[in-house]
Amino acid sequence: QVQLVESGGGLVEAGGSLRLSCTASGRTFSRYLMGWFRQAPGKEREFVAAINWSGGTIRYRDSVKRRFTISRDNVKNTVSLQMTSLKPDDTAVYYCAAETDRGVGYDCWGQGTPVTVSS
């Protein structure tokens, strides 16, 4: 089993920045795909960003491009999401996810860390 724990969420004013971190523990695999998702109140969970094991392939949803940066450290078993120019629409619980079995999709999720952006 792999456990994912997010941290770094909080309350920030519009235009501000936050850095979210996700640490994997237990049985870990350096090659697994990692992603960030978010779920705002009353809305469905949505994809935010993803990064493959080498860091060479990164994708973002259009609304966060140029504002968010995903990165990973396979030595420390962490993945981060640097968020800048935050908007109230970014308010959500942010979840870290991993695809621990290649080809099956995201099968491991953290508990989430809330991000609230005030206007």
Side-chain angles (χ1 to χ4, degrees):
Q1 296 289 333
V2 176
Q3 294 83 44
L4 302 177
V5 180
E6 304 95 335
S7 63
L11 175 64
V12 64
E13 62 186 5
S17 300
L18 282 175
R19 184 178 180 87
L20 307 183
S21 296
C22 173
T23 300
S25 61
R27 187 167 64 92
T28 61
F29 301 93
S30 63
R31 293 187 177 185
Y32 48 47
L33 178 71
M34 299 293 297
W36 285 96
F37 293 76
R38 66 188 183 186
Q39 186 167 22
K43 298 178 65 178
E44 295 184 350
R45 182 179 61 195
E46 64 184 18
F47 169 79
V48 176
I51 184 169
N52 76 334
W53 76 273
S54 69
T57 300
I58 296 173
R59 289 182 172 81
Y60 303 95
R61 69 178 298 109
D62 287 344
S63 63
V64 308
K65 288 180 179 177
R66 298 182 297 177
R67 298 192 298 120
F68 291 10
T69 301
I70 188 171
S71 61
R72 69 188 297 163
D73 186 332
N74 291 334
V75 175
K76 297 181 178 179
N77 293 315
T78 60
V79 60
S80 299
L81 185 69
Q82 178 66 50
M83 307 185 294
T84 63
S85 301
L86 284 163
K87 305 174 181 179
D89 285 348
D90 295 319
T91 296
V93 177
Y94 283 70
Y95 297 91
C96 177
E99 183 188 61
T100 62
D101 189 359
R102 184 178 178 84
V104 304
Y106 294 101
D107 58 346
C108 184
W109 297 81
Q111 291 299 114
T113 184
V115 172
T116 301
V117 184
S118 62
S119 60

